[in-house]
Amino acid sequence: MKSSLTFFATIVAVSVLLFSVVPTNACEQSCRTGISLAFGDNYSKEVDKLFPTLSDDLKNHLVDGFSGSISSATKSSFNKIIDDETDKCKKAFTGNFAKLIEDSIFNQAPQFKGQCQHPLRVNQPPPGVAWTMDDCQNQDYICGNPPAVCHYMDQIVKPRNVKNVNESLKDRLSTNGSCYSSLIRSLIIAAAKSNIKASDLDSFATAIEKNVGQQYSTFTTLFEHEFCRGTTCDKYDHDIKVKLLSYP
Ligand SMILES: *[C@@H]1O[C@H](CO)[C@@H](O)[C@H](O)[C@H]1NC(C)=O
Ligand SMILES: *[C@@H]1O[C@H](CO)[C@@H](O)[C@H](O)[C@H]1NC(C)=O
Ligand SMILES: *[C@@H]1O[C@H](CO)[C@@H](O)[C@H](O)[C@H]1NC(C)=O
C-alpha cells in the first residue's frame, strides 16, 4: 500500500515536472500578434515613403484628355480630394498589415506550426528569458517556435510578407477595389457641384475613370519594384528578430 502510494505520488510528480518543463514550442497568439505588429509597424514606414508618388501622379494626370474647362479653385478641390482619399486608402492598407502578415507567416505554406522536438535543436529558456541569436541559428527546420521563424527570416518569412503586401495593394488599387470607387465617387460629386458645365460631366467621368485606373496600375507596378527592394527593409531585421525571440 505504502509503495503503491509512493509510486502514484512519483507519477504525479514526474507528470507535473514534465508538463511544466516540456516546451510548448509554438509561437502562441501573443507572439503571432506581436511579431505581425512589429513587421506591420516597420513596413508601414516604407509604404509612407511611396504613397506621395501616387497622389502626385493622380493630381498631374487626373484630367488628361478632358477638353472641358476647369477653374483653378475646382482643380484645388480635386487635389484636396486626391490627398484625402489617397491617405484613407493608405491607412486602410497599412491598417490591415498585422492581419495580413500573421496570415502570411503562420497560415500560408510552409506554415510555422507544429512541434520542434524531432529532433530537438534548441532548449526553451526559462520564463521571462528570451531565446538567443544562437537558437535562431540552430533551429534549422521549420516548426512552430520563434527561433524557426527567425531562422527562415530571409529565406521564407520576409519574401512571403513582401509578396502578400504587394498582392494586397494590387487588390485595393484594382478598378473593382474600394480605393478606386471611393475616389471616383468623391470626384464626381465635387465636379457636379463645381462650375464644370453640366454637358461636360459625362466626359469628365469617363476621363477620370480612365486616368485613375491608369495611375493606380502604374503605381502598383512601381510599388512591386520599390517596396522593400534589395536591402531596403534589412534595417528592420534586427528589431524584428529581437522582438520575435522575446516570446516564449
Ligand atoms: C520598427 O518598429 C518598432 C516598433 O514596432 C520601432 O520601435 C523600431 O524603431 C522600428 N525599427 C526601425 C529600424 O525603424
Ligand atoms: C477585381 O478585379 C481583379 C482583376 O483586376 C480580379 O482578380 C478580382 O477577382 C476582382 N475582385 C472582385 C471582387 O470582383
Ligand atoms: C511583388 O509581387 C509581385 C506579384 O504581385 C511579384 O512579381 C514581385 O516580385 C513582388 N516583389 C517582391 C519584392 O517580392
Side-chain angles (χ1 to χ4, degrees), residues 34 37-43 45 235-237 239-240 243:
L37 279 172
F39 263 114
D41 278 358
N42 289 149
Y43 280 20
K45 290 183 213 157
K235 57 181 173 288
Y236 304 122
D237 288 1
D239 287 346
I240 289 175
K243 175 109 190 164

Side-chain angles (χ1 to χ4, degrees), residues 158-167 170 220 223-230:
K158 279 202 301 181
R160 207 155 77 188
N161 286 347
V162 170
K163 181 166 173 282
N164 278 276
V165 168
N166 267 350
E167 283 165 2
K170 192 173 182 175
T220 302
F223 190 92
E224 282 174 3
H225 284 111
E226 295 299 319
F227 177 66
C228 285
R229 180 167 70 130

Side-chain angles (χ1 to χ4, degrees), residues 23 37 51 63 66 89-90 104 129 160 162 175 185 193 197 219 230:
L37 279 172
F51 260 70
V63 293
F66 174 66
C89 177
K90 185 188 75 176
S104 162
V129 178
R160 207 155 77 188
V162 170
T175 50
R185 192 176 47 237
K193 290 187 200 151
K197 278 198 300 193
F219 182 71

Side-chain angles (χ1 to χ4, degrees), residues 61-80:
H61 295 286
L62 183 69
V63 293
D64 285 2
F66 174 66
S67 53
S69 87
I70 301 177
S71 70
S72 65
T74 300
K75 190 73 181 80
S76 313
S77 75
F78 291 161
N79 288 348
K80 168 93 170 52

Side-chain angles (χ1 to χ4, degrees), residues 2-181:
K2 181 159 179 291
S3 73
S4 77
L5 256 184
T6 310
F7 177 70
F8 181 70
T10 308
I11 296 278
V12 169
V14 166
S15 316
V16 166
L17 196 66
L18 269 180
F19 281 110
S20 57
V21 174
V22 165
T24 51
N25 265 317
C27 184
E28 306 284 354
Q29 189 58 52
S30 64
C31 166
R32 293 201 294 269
T33 306
I35 184 65
S36 305
L37 279 172
F39 263 114
D41 278 358
N42 289 149
Y43 280 20
S44 299
K45 290 183 213 157
E46 297 303 310
V47 173
D48 287 346
K49 289 182 201 160
L50 295 173
F51 260 70
T53 305
L54 176 61
S55 45
D56 288 348
D57 289 351
L58 284 168
K59 288 175 195 170
N60 290 335
H61 295 286
L62 183 69
V63 293
D64 285 2
F66 174 66
S67 53
S69 87
I70 301 177
S71 70
S72 65
T74 300
K75 190 73 181 80
S76 313
S77 75
F78 291 161
N79 288 348
K80 168 93 170 52
I81 289 170
I82 288 171
D83 281 334
D84 292 348
E85 290 287 333
T86 307
D87 194 53
K88 204 168 80 182
C89 177
K90 185 188 75 176
K91 285 192 174 127
F93 175 48
T94 57
N96 192 46
F97 274 9
K99 201 162 150 268
L100 185 82
I101 286 164
E102 182 169 342
D103 180 66
S104 162
I105 302 176
F106 300 103
N107 295 333
Q108 294 176 12
Q111 288 173 284
F112 287 87
K113 274 197 176 156
Q115 296 287 320
C116 306
Q117 274 104 318
H118 309 291
L120 188 67
R121 293 278 197 251
V122 295
N123 287 307
Q124 177 139 21
V129 178
W131 300 91
T132 64
M133 288 294 172
D134 280 348
D135 295 332
C136 172
Q137 179 82 36
N138 295 335
Q139 182 55 59
D140 59 357
Y141 64 90
I142 294 175
C143 60
N145 67 10
V149 179
C150 179
H151 187 91
Y152 289 96
M153 192 68 86
D154 284 340
Q155 222 178 312
I156 298 177
V157 177
K158 279 202 301 181
R160 207 155 77 188
N161 286 347
V162 170
K163 181 166 173 282
N164 278 276
V165 168
N166 267 350
E167 283 165 2
S168 165
L169 183 72
K170 192 173 182 175
D171 282 350
R172 282 169 194 272
L173 293 189
S174 80
T175 50
N176 55 16
S178 57
C179 293
Y180 179 84
S181 52

